[in-house]
Every structure is written in structure tokens, then in C-alpha cells.
Amino acid sequence: MRLFFSADQLLHRPTQYGVHGRLVRPLENPDRAETLIGSLARLGLSAEAPPAVDRGAVLKVHPGHYVDFLETAYDRFQALPNAGPEVLPNAHPYFSGASVFGARPAPKTQGILGQCGWYIGDLSCAMTAQTFKAALASASTAAAATEAVRGGARAAFALCRPPGHHAYPDRANGFCFFNNAAIAAEILRQRFARVAILDFDTHHGDGTQAIFYARDDVFFGSVHTDPTAYYPHFFGYGDERGTGAGEGCNLNLPLAPGSGDGAYVAAVRRLAEAADDFGAEAIVLSAGWDAHRDDPLSKLDVSTAAYPKIAEILKSLARPTVIVQEGGYSLAAVAEAAPAFVESFGVD
Ligand SMILES: [Zn+2]
């Protein structure tokens, strides 16, 4: 299995993350990527640096006005009087939480504060001077791994950071700026008629769902913690099944807090069966390790032993597979779960 990683991804080092009414040090930090590199090296995998992503590959998922915002936001924000160290929104538009899918038009407001509210969904996406470069490098990593699979590799691991599955077409959210899994799926679609994205991060991949919600060529399936009282709160419910041509191409399997290995593994088995029924010819895995019981964000009771089991299930699909790194915030749990998964999936 080839492993892709760009050192530019370490450049995103925000100091602020809003949680429970406080700004604290972000859980999503460069140590996570370095821990993953070290743990996968024990399996004999060494990372290859990706070439810079084709901007066109990003624009297949994200509109140009959003990419332009991310590229210019830091410098524009710094021009504000008394600007803080990082871009953070403090005003948000009215936004219907019901069924807004696809990209919105560019906002009428031209000011940086209004645009921050339009394009940044929460306080987990503080932007530094290097954030855009790191996010683009993360997308590059996903694209390079996907090109390897499109070219015939059985599987490739994209060690993406910052992660991607909460990023909407035109909105950063939940530590995510570009939706790496969606970029991977669009590249795979150039060769494969039907692609499934299966997401086993403990958070619902709301951005990915939104991007493909009306599509019948890309299936999205997710196991995650019930969002009734958990991030991302507004999406991830079992009655979200897709719309229009995409009706039936979206499957959410929320788990009650406290659910353990049995429920988690059974849910991944259902996702794999659904991808098979869909006729997926290639797979993107949104791989998060934050369902682990030791993760600081986890409300589930999943152990390291679950990860080789779900790898076995996903491997049995026998489809070309891109593994895209998403969440996982306990360095100790990440160092166990990720290599356990990859070893079971097969390092060859
Ligand atoms: Zn997560």
C-alpha cells in the first residue's frame, strides 16, 4: 500500500478552538499527523510527497469564490483594526438547516467579517497565514493517493491533515477546509462509473453528504455517533436518504452513545453491503479513529480490536480503495488503531 503525505500539511498550527464556550488549544494539530507517520512506518510504509494538486480537481468540489476566500482571508483579516492572530468568524448569516445542498452563490457582502460568517461555519476552523497552503497540501495528498488507485493500485492511504469530511462545497467546518474524500471520489469517477464513500469517523461526514446528496453516481454511507446531542448536530440522522436522483444513495447509521465494538462493526458491515448493492466499482474510506473509547471527543466505547475487524470487512469488498485520513485525537489511540486497520487491510 502506498502512503502519501505532504510536510506542508504541518504548517497549519492554529492556537484557538472554540468548545463549550471557551477558546482552547485545538485538538486537531500537527502531532496527529506525525504520530500517524510513525505508527505506519512500523508496518514498513514510508510516505511519498504528492505533487501539487491540480486546482481543477479542487474546483470539481468547491466553487472558485470559496477557494479565493480561503486563499485571501488571512491577509484581509489581518488588515482589520486590532485583528487577532487567526481568522475567526463572529457573525453568521441566516442559514436554513433543512435542505440546503450544493454551493450557495457568492455572498453580496464584500467585507472580510461578513465573508468569514458566510464561508466559515464554526470556531474550529481558525485560519493562520499557512492554513490555505496546508489545506491545499492535504487535498494534494488525497489526489495523489487517488491517482495511484485510478492507475491500478489496489489501495492507497492519503494521510490528510487538516481533515475534510465536514467541509461543504462552500463552507469550512469542523477542522475541515477542503473535502478530501469528495475530491478523491470525483477523481475516481473519471474511471469508475459508481463510487462509494464509506465514513467510519465518529462524527457524521455532513460535508460529504451535502456534496453528493442529489447524486446517483456516488453513494455516501456513514456510521457515527447519534447527532441528537453531538457534532455536527444538524445532519447525520437516519431519515436522510438522498434527494432527487440521489434518493436512496445516502445511508446514515447513527449509534447511541456508549455503543461498543459489536454495534460499530455491525454498522460497517451494513455500509459495506450497501456499497456492494449500489454497485460501487471503487471505494473511498473516510477513516477516522475518534470512535475509539480513549479519544477525547468519543462518546462511543469502541476498542482497538474493532479496527482490524472493520478492515477485514472493507477489504472483502475487493474494490480499488482510497483510504482518506479524517479524525482521531488521542495520539495513543491513533498509534494503535490506524496501523491495526492498515495491517488487516493489507500493506501490499
Ligand atoms: Zn471525527
Side-chain angles (χ1 to χ4, degrees):
M1 182 184 297
R2 290 170 72 183
L3 168 66
F4 291 87
F5 176 72
S6 164
D8 283 350
Q9 294 173 111
L10 301 174
L11 296 172
H12 171 59
R13 293 173 184 266
T15 62
Q16 303 173 92
Y17 160 48
V19 61
H20 298 185
R22 294 181 194 283
L23 287 176
V24 300
R25 308 289 293 185
L27 286 168
E28 201 293 291
N29 58 53
D31 296 347
R32 302 174 54 247
E34 291 178 325
T35 297
L36 275 161
I37 290 283
S39 66
L40 295 174
R42 295 202 303 273
L43 302 178
L45 299 184
S46 59
E48 304 171 48
V53 72
D54 172 8
R55 204 174 174 98
V58 175
L59 293 174
K60 287 282 282 182
V61 171
H62 301 284
H65 60 88
Y66 172 67
V67 179
D68 292 344
F69 166 78
L70 292 180
E71 188 164 21
T72 61
Y74 180 79
D75 287 345
R76 294 171 60 209
F77 199 89
Q78 287 306 308
L80 291 169
N82 301 313
E86 290 144 10
V87 177
L88 280 175
N90 61 263
H92 287 91
Y94 171 73
F95 174 78
S96 167
S99 57
V100 177
F101 299 104
R104 300 160 295 173
K108 290 179 182 174
T109 180
Q110 297 301 306
I112 181 63
L113 289 173
Q115 291 191 357
C116 283
W118 188 262
Y119 289 118
I120 302 176
D122 57 36
L123 291 175
S124 66
C125 294
M127 293 184 69
T128 70
Q130 302 290 341
T131 294
F132 179 75
K133 186 174 186 179
L136 209 55
S138 190
S140 300
T141 293
T146 309
E147 290 293 356
V149 169
R150 187 165 75 123
R154 180 183 77 92
F157 192 113
L159 207 167
C160 294
R161 185 265 159 192
H165 71 156
H166 297 305
Y168 284 69
D170 57 351
R171 196 167 73 155
N173 257 341
F175 303 135
C176 303
F177 298 89
F178 292 132
N179 195 307
N180 303 309
I183 290 168
E186 289 287 11
I187 293 171
L188 287 175
R189 276 286 293 107
Q190 294 170 26
R191 173 173 171 189
F192 303 100
R194 297 191 141 214
V195 173
I197 303 173
L198 304 181
D199 187 324
F200 59 84
D201 186 282
T202 207
H203 302 93
H204 177 246
D206 53 334
T208 316
Q209 170 173 299
I211 289 165
F212 296 108
Y213 204 62
R215 297 261 297 264
D216 62 1
D217 57 332
V218 178
F219 175 89
F220 177 68
S222 177
V223 55
H224 48 268
T225 305
D226 184 343
T228 305
Y230 194 70
Y231 193 89
H233 308 292
F234 312 113
F235 294 104
Y237 297 91
D239 62 355
E240 295 158 13
R241 301 188 63 255
T243 191
E247 177 80 37
C249 300
N250 196 87
L251 176 62
N252 287 330
L253 300 176
L255 299 181
S259 298
D261 289 8
Y264 186 69
V265 172
V268 170
R269 185 171 286 113
R270 279 189 63 192
L271 294 182
E273 289 167 358
D276 195 34
D277 291 345
F278 175 73
E281 297 169 13
I283 306 287
V284 177
L285 299 179
S286 267
W289 320 106
D290 45 8
H292 196 287
R293 59 167 66 119
D294 293 340
D295 192 282
L297 296 181
S298 184
K299 288 192 174 186
L300 301 184
D301 191 28
V302 171
S303 76
T304 300
Y307 290 96
K309 290 178 183 167
I310 65 169
E312 193 64 40
I313 292 165
L314 296 166
K315 177 185 178 184
S316 72
L317 283 170
R319 310 294 209 282
T321 301
V322 184
I323 303 167
V324 176
Q325 171 63 37
E326 302 285 1
Y329 306 98
S330 160
L331 298 182
V334 162
E336 287 182 10
F341 178 93
V342 170
E343 188 166 33
S344 175
F345 199 91
V347 293
D348 297 329

